Amino acid sequence: FVEILAAEQTPDNPNWYQGTADAVRQAARHFEDYEAACYLILAGDHLYRMDYGALVREHLARGADITIAAQPVSAADASQMGIFSFDAAGQVTGFSEKPTAQRLREIAEAGGGKPFVASLGIYVFSRDVLLEVLRGDGKDFGRDVLPAALARHRVSAYLHQGYWADVGTIASFYEANIMLTRPDAPFDFYHPDRPIYTEQRVLPAARLNGCTVRNTIIAEGCYLDAGSIEDSVIGIRARVGRGARIRRSVLLGADSYEEHQGVGDEVVLDRVIVDKNARIGEGAKLVNEKAIQEADGEGYYIRDGVIVVPKDGVIRPGLVV
């Protein structure tokens, strides 16, 4: 069965979730009474495809207390992730969350120059071990719980073979979506044995009227008038007006059909995320020609060089960014 647990405040803990471990700790009242040999803990802002059964089987076969899914990463990426240290037998002996440059040099020297191995934020805990560490005061698995657990528990790494991305920032969310549009994308939703499905909706097929479309994903229920779209993702019920030009952008669509919702006539978008139910007035041009990295504007934001129109946002006609 599936039970959805919303974030909650309770009389014995009036705080919202303070980190990954704190979120599991506060939710423990809902699952600790179920009989289970181990618990699988996942993050909600990652993009990947994994056989969790194989992960759990390896955890049990090794007799591990904690197993962490891991993957080799470059030195450039290592500073933004949790990095392992290993002994000669391959046992995890250290864990550094977002290590400094000096710490990375130390890990590289100890590992004989081998690639850095990073945590993917996917954990299997044996039941008693999870309940024990949750009785502590660590708020985050990577920063607090795992480094402390190494001295008391057997921690193992499970190497994931395949694509994985953290999409928890504006830049990473944008890049992951645009990646999906490429013919040679390292990840897609069309795996013959393990397809990934969207939520089932009863919507008409997308309708394109005289459009030029290249390397684009278009969801159901869209109405796209004459214009050009390339290297983009167009979400459900999106409306794109006549003559609009959309390039390298992510449109999340709309929750319902409204006549004046969506992208207006003669709009130009390049490197833009348009959240649900937004309205882009006709003739607007959102292209970030000055390559601004961070800014707040009239109905929009710029983060990591990507223009973001928030949910229910409105861009006035003719605005140029």
Side-chain angles (χ1 to χ4, degrees):
F1 60 91
V2 174
E3 183 176 354
I4 304 299
L5 304 178
E8 60 185 0
Q9 292 174 299
T10 60
D12 59 324
N13 193 336
N15 299 314
W16 293 114
Y17 296 165
Q18 303 297 302
T20 54
D22 185 64
V24 177
R25 178 184 297 112
Q26 292 198 45
R29 71 183 68 207
H30 300 290
F31 64 76
E32 61 186 350
D33 291 335
Y34 293 115
E35 294 184 6
C38 52
Y39 292 102
L40 174 66
I41 299 174
L42 313 172
D45 56 357
H46 297 165
L47 177 62
Y48 61 98
R49 181 185 278 107
M50 179 184 290
D51 180 353
Y52 297 131
L55 169 60
V56 173
R57 286 192 295 273
E58 185 160 324
H59 171 82
L60 297 173
R62 290 183 176 182
D65 296 319
I66 304 169
T67 298
I68 308 169
Q71 194 171 63
V73 297
S74 66
D77 292 332
S79 63
Q80 300 301 313
M81 304 180 75
I83 302 300
F84 296 103
S85 300
F86 297 91
D87 61 18
Q91 182 69 24
V92 176
T93 58
F95 185 83
S96 301
E97 182 75 3
K98 297 183 179 179
T100 62
Q102 175 60 34
R103 179 59 183 145
L104 285 175
R105 284 193 292 270
E106 294 171 356
I107 295 172
E109 291 171 1
K114 294 180 180 179
F116 295 106
V117 178
S119 166
L120 303 185
I122 301 168
Y123 314 115
V124 179
F125 280 80
S126 294
R127 173 188 171 81
D128 293 342
V129 174
L130 177 63
L131 298 180
E132 175 195 322
V133 299
L134 292 180
R135 285 193 287 269
D137 56 3
K139 295 180 179 179
D140 187 83
F141 282 114
R143 186 179 61 250
D144 307 317
V145 172
L146 295 177
L150 288 170
R152 305 189 307 275
H153 300 291
R154 181 176 176 81
V155 181
S156 178
Y158 172 84
L159 290 181
H160 171 59
Q161 305 294 329
Y163 178 86
W164 177 92
D166 184 329
V167 294
T169 67
I170 293 294
S172 61
F173 174 83
Y174 171 81
E175 292 296 340
N177 274 273
I178 297 302
M179 174 275 297
L180 294 172
T181 70
R182 298 171 186 151
D184 59 347
F187 181 90
D188 63 47
F189 298 118
Y190 312 104
H191 193 286
D193 300 320
R194 296 176 184 169
I196 295 176
Y197 298 101
T198 62
E199 179 183 352
Q200 185 175 7
R201 301 178 178 89
V202 183
L203 289 173
R207 178 177 178 180
L208 285 70
N209 179 27
C211 298
T212 300
V213 180
R214 177 178 177 271
N215 293 347
T216 294
I217 296 173
I218 301 176
E220 64 269 39
C222 293
Y223 184 89
L224 313 179
D225 213 335
S228 65
I229 305 172
E230 60 178 298
D231 304 321
S232 297
V233 176
I234 310 298
I236 61 168
R237 304 187 190 89
R239 296 179 65 92
V240 176
R242 187 178 303 276
R245 289 176 289 155
I246 300 174
R247 182 170 179 263
R248 302 184 300 175
S249 295
V250 180
L251 281 60
L252 299 186
D255 291 317
S256 61
Y257 288 115
E258 291 188 29
E259 184 176 357
H260 301 293
Q261 193 165 261
V263 176
D265 296 347
E266 304 298 331
V267 166
V268 180
L269 304 178
D270 190 4
R271 283 181 59 82
V272 182
I273 298 174
V274 180
D275 207 341
K276 277 190 173 183
N277 309 327
R279 302 168 188 266
I280 314 295
E282 63 181 32
K285 184 178 180 182
L286 307 182
V287 297
N288 194 11
E289 289 181 341
K290 297 180 179 179
I292 297 170
Q293 293 300 300
E294 305 284 330
D296 293 351
E298 183 184 348
Y300 68 90
Y301 305 91
I302 300 178
R303 297 292 184 268
D304 300 314
V306 179
I307 299 174
V308 180
V309 180
K311 185 176 181 180
D312 299 314
V314 177
I315 299 295
R316 64 175 173 80
L319 178 67
V320 177
V321 179

